[in-house]
Amino acid sequence: MANRFSLELAQRPRRLRRTASLRAMVEETVLRPSDFIAPLFVVEGKAPPDEIKSMPGVFRLNIADLVKECRALHKLGVPAVALFPKLDPSLKDDIGTQALNEDTLVLRAVRAVKKAVPDLTVITDVALDPYTSHGHDGVLTTARDDVENDRTVEILGRMAVLQARAGVDMVAPSDMMDGRVGAIRRALDAEGFTGTGILAYSAKFNSAYYGPFRDAVGSAQAAGTRLLSKATYQMNPANRREAITEVMLDDAEGADILMVKPAGLYLDIIRDVREATRKPVAAYQISGEYAQIQAAARLGWLDLARCRNESLIAIKRAGADLILTYFAKDMATLLGR
Ligand code: PBG
């Protein structure tokens, strides 16, 4: 005789949540160390690791320490790193001259890492913001109110060739200029770097959550005065269809991996992109996403490990094959190989 409270349901989804082993058996999304790409910041000199205030646990590393970190990440099964240089302000100018110096910081870092850990995939950013005094991703028009697309793209092509020559496996244009993926592909091929890949920041939104990163590389202030707005090149956060337009352009121009950035607030975009292309999709859990989890955890308001894990599962579940995240090392440590 059925319990008088029994609903006599044919479907009881809770049956598969009853025990830990049942829950594991029906788990749909699983993270593994090879899902992650670790963004790393490199500085000149020999100073000890310098923690970024708004990014607890993330450090600016000199080249020797960067190499050590890369070795550790490789051992943990993290397949790739994305390198970002923090230049001394005295080396910055209006047109980002240092970006085309073949001995600039990031290129020396690439050579050191590739020599020490050849199997680790090394990715470098192609954009002028670490090199310009105004912090924009390209050169400004004479009116100084906008970034000049085609002149910037020409510089980015040359920058990518220098990075390829230094030994990177992939270049990652993060500037959002029109036509830069195709131009970079042609520039690389013309120099014989047909095997150097392009990880394109295809749908990169004009996000307020980049703040901690701009502190990290010192691109936050627009020559002291102007407010730094990248609204004329980065996408409007309100636009969903436009993200697909951007992604399909980069796909057609020859990008090997297509990226959405930021990640956590743009899960719908990640899903749309996953459905629009057959190529691998990456998502960048950016500095502000990391900072807000860290900050709430420090206040005792959220559980760090659980929020970290959930934020990353959500990004993968949305459709990302790869995730750039400042939690890469922690996750690889947690997950094992
Ligand atoms: C710019 C660049 C940015 C990030 C990576 N490359 C920020 C920006 O557009 O100012 C942000 C990464 C992060 O916030 O973690 N080329």
Side-chain angles (χ1 to χ4, degrees):
M1 172 72 180
N3 180 311
R4 69 191 178 96
F5 295 115
S6 167
L7 293 173
E8 294 176 20
L9 297 178
Q11 307 293 339
R12 288 189 184 266
R14 287 187 56 195
R15 273 186 207 118
L16 295 179
R17 295 178 208 137
R18 199 170 50 81
T19 66
S21 54
L22 282 165
R23 290 192 293 273
M25 286 162 69
V26 298
E27 185 162 86
E28 297 178 33
T29 306
V30 183
L31 295 168
R32 39 177 201 156
S34 57
D35 293 334
F36 300 111
I37 298 172
L40 297 173
F41 298 103
V42 60
V43 284
E44 209 66 76
K46 293 196 157 55
D50 172 25
E51 190 165 24
I52 297 152
K53 241 222 231 87
S54 47
M55 302 175 74
V58 180
F59 298 83
R60 300 184 190 94
L61 304 170
N62 66 45
I63 292 182
D65 287 331
L66 175 78
V67 167
K68 277 188 210 148
E69 184 67 5
C70 287
R71 247 196 218 106
L73 287 162
H74 179 61
K75 269 212 187 92
L76 287 164
V78 173
V81 295
L83 304 183
F84 295 97
K86 156 104 173 57
L87 256 67
D88 190 280
S90 69
L91 289 174
K92 302 186 186 191
D93 60 24
D94 261 20
I95 55 170
T97 302
Q98 281 301 312
L100 296 180
N101 171 353
E102 60 191 38
D103 231 16
T104 188
L105 174 62
V106 79
L107 299 181
R108 277 179 281 126
V110 167
R111 287 185 216 115
V113 172
K114 282 310 289 187
K115 187 168 169 206
V117 207
D119 295 340
L120 183 71
T121 292
V122 175
I123 303 166
T124 39
D125 217 53
V126 185
L128 291 180
D129 55 302
Y131 304 97
T132 52
S133 43
H134 42 74
H136 277 290
D137 289 27
V139 293
L140 302 180
T141 58
T142 40
R144 292 191 62 84
D145 62 352
D146 203 357
V147 170
E148 197 174 322
N149 194 88
D150 298 14
R151 218 170 107 219
T152 298
V153 168
E154 196 269 330
I155 296 171
L156 299 178
R158 289 198 274 152
M159 203 176 161
V161 168
L162 290 180
Q163 295 174 349
R165 202 168 283 148
V168 298
D169 299 280
M170 304 195 87
V171 297
S174 69
D175 55 290
M176 289 300 280
M177 295 302 117
D178 293 334
R180 92 281 203 215
V181 169
I184 288 171
R185 186 68 272 157
R186 286 189 294 277
L188 290 171
D189 291 353
E191 294 291 323
F193 296 111
T194 53
T196 306
I198 300 178
L199 164 61
Y201 288 71
S202 302
K204 177 172 178 179
F205 291 88
N206 182 26
S207 174
Y209 291 78
Y210 299 142
F213 175 94
R214 291 180 192 170
D215 293 339
V217 303
S219 67
Q221 71 284 36
T225 51
R226 273 164 71 253
L227 215 105
L228 188 68
S229 166
K230 299 191 176 184
T232 67
Y233 44 108
Q234 298 180 349
M235 282 185 52
N236 181 345
N239 291 2
R240 183 174 167 187
R241 293 187 312 257
E242 188 186 351
I244 302 302
T245 303
E246 281 285 6
V247 164
M248 296 321 282
L249 282 171
D250 287 0
D251 191 336
E253 288 176 32
D256 299 285
I257 302 178
L258 302 157
M259 183 146 72
V260 175
K261 175 185 181 182
L265 293 168
Y266 296 83
L267 298 178
D268 55 333
I269 310 291
I270 295 172
R271 171 51 50 186
D272 286 349
V273 170
R274 175 64 290 159
E275 286 168 6
T277 176
R278 294 201 174 96
K279 286 181 177 164
V281 175
Y284 197 146
Q285 182 181 54
I286 58 157
S287 56
E289 298 179 71
Y290 177 85
Q292 62 184 356
I293 294 174
Q294 289 284 355
R298 288 194 160 201
L299 286 166
W301 292 356
L302 288 175
D303 182 277
L304 176 65
R306 291 189 61 204
C307 290
R308 174 196 67 200
N309 298 353
E310 187 175 334
S311 68
L312 294 165
I313 277 284
I315 294 164
K316 188 164 182 191
R317 188 195 65 229
D321 303 292
L322 291 162
I323 307 173
L324 280 86
T325 172
Y326 301 97
F327 290 123
K329 191 180 189 183
D330 292 352
M331 291 307 291
T333 305
L334 173 78
L335 297 167
R337 270 209 192 244

